[in-house]
Amino acid sequence: MAEKKRVCIIGSGNWGSAIAKIVGKNARELPQFEERVTMYVYEELIDGKKLTEIINETHENVKYLPGHKIPENVIAVPDVLDAARDADILIFVVPHQFIHRICSSLLGKIKSTAVGLSLIKGFDKREGGGIELISHIIAKELKIPVSVLMGANLASEVADEKFCETTIGCKDKLVAPFLRDIIQTSYFRVVVVDDADAVECCGALKNIVACGAGFVDGLGLGDNTKAAVIRLGLMEMITFVNVFFPGGQLSTFFESCGVADLITTCYGGRNRKVSEAFVRTGKSIAELETEMLNGQKLQGPFTAEEVNYMLKLKDMEGKFPLFTAIHRICVGELKPSDLIDCIRSHPEHM
């Protein structure tokens, strides 16, 4: 009989904890997986007690996903190497700013046969110019194959077991069934495609568009204007992938990772919420992140900056006026109301 696969979740924010509910249950019930799942938790004190101890005693992440039980077979571990050492499947779900540090801790100390699944939405600046996909960074630094999972998956709704879909981008037909099985449930439906780069780009770029949607809400401009931002945002997402990560399929943008995630994020999601507050309060993005997100990280403005860095290098800001305007609003170079001029004069309308 084939050896059971051991699973480790690296990260324990609200999305990591919501995924832990699913992975823990599937690992307990499916014969191809080892029942015990480790979850790396960045250690912090909550009312004087370690968060890992609270999770292991109460089976609840009281800071990031209060009110939800995590299965008892999911064990919180404060050291990432202890959590990941014996794993066959490593599920990465941390803010993308921390991925280099985590990879350097794990390099050469995990199973050479391990595979990764990245749920991380964002890009990273490449030294010497350009941007790099997070899955590529993990694959390069840990020397393991890495697939991606992206979709219209607001963590609170997944934790509430409300029905939703997700997309796994995986090029390996032997690995894909294991990744699907450990993630899929009756309320969390998985579609696997082999177009992993486009799947991952969608997950990062939609956060930029969500900032634009939040600016529209903050300005009180209504759903028609927001629909224009979403449509033009989708067009720029497709163009961006075609230019910088060619070879993808248009059909990927109509999976959950594409248009569905874009709509969800532009109506729910933290990037929209903070961007609305940015317009209404006049406070900086950094201040609002601290005030509103309970320690979670905001990805949209950070991703907009990284994308703008690449567009500037290639002298292509004019080809992506929505992405460019959103970045410039985030850093204070434009007023939020200038977004409308950008939409009005978008090349699509010329």
Side-chain angles (χ1 to χ4, degrees), residues 1-49:
M1 184 178 156
E3 205 174 302
K4 293 183 176 219
K5 305 281 185 197
R6 294 170 188 247
V7 184
C8 168
I9 301 165
I10 297 176
S12 59
N14 63 341
W15 188 208
S17 300
I19 282 295
K21 277 189 70 175
I22 291 174
V23 169
K25 185 172 184 288
N26 285 342
R28 197 170 54 206
E29 293 176 358
L30 298 173
Q32 63 269 45
F33 300 106
E34 187 69 49
E35 185 173 331
R36 182 178 187 269
V37 173
T38 53
M39 178 170 72
Y40 164 61
V41 175
Y42 177 76
E43 192 70 279
E44 46 193 315
L45 293 177
I46 310 292
D47 296 330
K49 189 162 186 181

Side-chain angles (χ1 to χ4, degrees), residues 53-71:
E53 289 177 5
I54 296 170
I55 292 171
N56 288 333
E57 287 169 18
T58 67
H59 309 291
E60 182 182 346
N61 188 334
V62 293
K63 177 161 187 185
Y64 295 114
L65 198 68
H68 289 278
K69 287 294 178 192
I70 293 170

